[in-house]
Amino acid sequence: MELEKLTNEAISLLKRLIETPSFSSEEDQTAVLIENWFKQFKIPFQRTKNNVWSNNKYFDETKPTLLLNSHHDTVKPNSAFTKNPFEANVENGKLFGLGSNDAGGCLVSLMATFTYFFHQKNLKYNLVIVASAEEESSGEDGLNSMLSIIPKIDVAIIGEPTLMNLAVAEKGLVVFDAVVEGTASHAAHPNNNNPIYKTIEVLQWFKNFRFEKTSSTLGDVKMTVTQINSGEQHNVVPAHVDLVIDVRVNDAYTNQEIATILQKNAPCTKIIPRSLKLNSSAISVDHELVKAGIEIGRKTYGSPTLSDQSVLTCQSLKLGPGDSTRSHSADEFIYLAEIEEGIAIYVELLEKVIK
């Protein structure tokens, strides 16, 4: 099938996706649009909740399997949007709209790429595509729920905006809830155990603490206090201060190791991880996908942002059109030229690896 036709169809699909709200766990209508793509191209597919997936026509269980994945859910629109987030407008080559960059452009580009290869025989790899749900919320019914349903995956390309450069590693995430305890009292009376004042030193500790191990691809572990909550009225000293700490984990540590270090050292009454499942991920620079990408002029780097790579146990490469710095931003957009380039590069890359 001609790439030009597939590219035009992909852009048309992206416009429809933008104009169909699909917040995490509410993707049922965008799932229908994705189903319609497969119906249009007469490709058999299956739907599991709001995840839509398919295998290439000549799937062979004796061959390794390459997963193509991106998500069709979005965050809620940034309050600073000046344009209608659910209106797909093209201005000066930019396609505006919620989810255009993260990760609609990647998704439709991978769908076009999968469609391009669907009917081809004698591929070295099987192809499986999953248009997944609940990526933005790290929900239970997203890609993680599909891994026991789809064929066993040997390697994956995860479509997220990378300017079509090769994210060969990605930081994991652990979110901690921490408590600084003190003594509740009337504000008019002396109190040498005010937890709000105690929190000053605690915050300074989190600001200054450094994890020892660094990574050649992902750099240092990044720890940030992102939320503080305490007190209910002006004349009452609260009994405790609640903190939320966001930790982006490099590939030198497991998430459990990070939790152990903080629980041993952090000057809090308690500090508890919400989950340890969002792990760092990587692919060997010697993998043929990476080598092929470098050969066609793509750069490698380590990504600080989280994606569905975190739920995979196989090697995975993050690669897609668009720019991560536009994700979750006001007046989100993707260049139409980025989608055109993205499809062309995906196809060129796979031509070198699976044929």
Side-chain angles (χ1 to χ4, degrees):
M1 186 168 295
E2 293 181 3
L3 274 184
E4 183 178 355
K5 173 179 170 57
L6 281 171
T7 301
N8 291 335
E9 292 291 341
I11 291 171
S12 295
L13 173 60
L14 178 54
K15 291 177 180 178
R16 294 193 293 274
L17 291 171
I18 289 169
E19 294 180 346
T20 306
S22 57
F23 304 137
S24 295
S25 77
E26 301 174 15
E27 313 95 342
D28 52 307
Q29 292 305 305
T30 47
V32 171
L33 295 176
I34 293 163
E35 289 180 317
N36 290 341
W37 169 282
F38 290 117
K39 291 176 182 177
Q40 175 186 350
F41 291 103
K42 297 180 172 56
I43 295 175
F45 66 90
Q46 297 185 60
R47 175 171 170 177
T48 305
K49 295 189 176 179
N50 291 331
N51 303 282
V52 185
W53 62 283
S54 180
N55 302 335
N56 64 305
K57 184 174 182 178
Y58 297 102
F59 188 94
D60 181 346
E61 292 183 356
T62 66
K63 296 179 179 180
T65 298
L66 168 61
L67 171 67
L68 306 178
N69 165 254
S70 192
H71 62 95
H72 58 107
D73 64 315
T74 71
V75 295
K76 293 188 176 179
N78 188 302
S79 61
F81 259 88
T82 64
K83 301 176 182 295
N84 182 346
F86 302 111
E87 188 172 325
N89 283 323
V90 177
E91 300 176 14
N92 299 318
K94 299 177 181 177
L95 174 57
F96 288 90
L98 183 66
S100 56
N101 182 77
D102 184 15
C106 300
L107 175 61
V108 300
S109 297
L110 284 172
M111 289 173 65
T113 302
F114 175 82
T115 302
Y116 179 82
F117 286 103
F118 175 77
H119 290 283
Q120 295 189 28
K121 297 180 180 180
N122 301 318
L123 300 178
K124 295 178 183 176
Y125 280 81
N126 299 310
L127 293 179
V128 175
I129 188 165
V130 179
S132 56
E134 297 192 10
E135 190 271 350
E136 295 291 4
S137 63
S138 300
E140 293 301 321
D141 293 325
L143 179 62
N144 53 312
S145 70
M146 298 300 299
L147 299 179
S148 61
I149 296 172
I150 63 176
K152 179 183 177 296
I153 302 302
D154 295 282
V155 68
I157 294 176
I158 302 299
E160 289 284 338
T162 70
L163 293 171
M164 291 309 293
N165 287 313
L166 310 168
V168 295
E170 173 186 274
K171 283 187 173 179
L173 169 65
V174 187
V175 178
F176 290 88
D177 292 297
V179 178
V180 180
E181 291 187 345
T183 302
S185 70
H186 194 296
H189 299 303
N191 185 343
N192 293 324
N193 196 33
N194 184 327
I196 294 178
Y197 293 153
K198 291 171 67 175
T199 301
I200 296 172
E201 291 185 2
V202 174
L203 293 175
Q204 197 65 44
W205 184 90
F206 279 113
K207 180 181 178 182
N208 293 335
F209 184 81
R210 296 292 179 269
F211 293 89
E212 293 180 1
K213 298 178 186 177
T214 191
S215 164
S216 60
T217 52
L218 293 172
D220 296 331
V221 174
K222 176 73 164 57
M223 181 164 64
T224 309
V225 178
T226 56
Q227 291 178 260
I228 302 176
N229 185 53
S230 187
E232 295 182 0
Q233 58 192 69
H234 75 90
N235 57 353
V236 177
V237 174
H240 59 86
V241 175
D242 298 319
L243 306 176
V244 176
I245 300 98
D246 178 296
V247 183
R248 304 289 167 153
V249 185
N250 65 21
D251 53 357
Y253 292 92
T254 66
N255 288 354
Q256 181 60 63
E257 287 173 329
I258 294 294
T260 300
I261 291 169
L262 290 183
Q263 289 172 336
K264 180 180 178 180
N265 295 286
C268 306
T269 309
K270 58 183 177 181
I271 180 166
I272 300 172
R274 293 181 181 178
S275 170
L276 297 174
K277 69 180 184 180
L278 302 176
N279 300 290
S280 61
S281 56
I283 187 170
S284 169
V285 293
D286 292 324
H287 193 283
E288 57 187 327
L289 273 175
V290 178
K291 286 183 173 180
I294 294 171
E295 187 178 331
I296 63 176
R298 312 321 297 174
K299 298 178 181 178
T300 62
Y301 74 104
S303 172
T305 58
L306 193 73
S307 75
D308 268 336
Q309 281 184 285
S310 63
V311 305
L312 298 175
T313 56
C314 65
Q315 293 193 85
S316 56
L317 174 68
K318 185 159 67 176
L319 174 68
D323 187 338
S324 179
T325 61
R326 298 183 212 134
S327 300
H328 305 180
S329 65
D331 297 335
E332 181 183 348
F333 71 89
I334 190 168
Y335 287 98
L336 295 179
E338 289 177 326
I339 298 172
E340 295 166 0
E341 179 191 50
I343 294 171
I345 290 175
Y346 277 143
V347 168
E348 185 180 7
L349 177 69
L350 292 187
E351 291 272 6
K352 289 181 173 294
V353 174
I354 69 175
K355 293 193 74 175

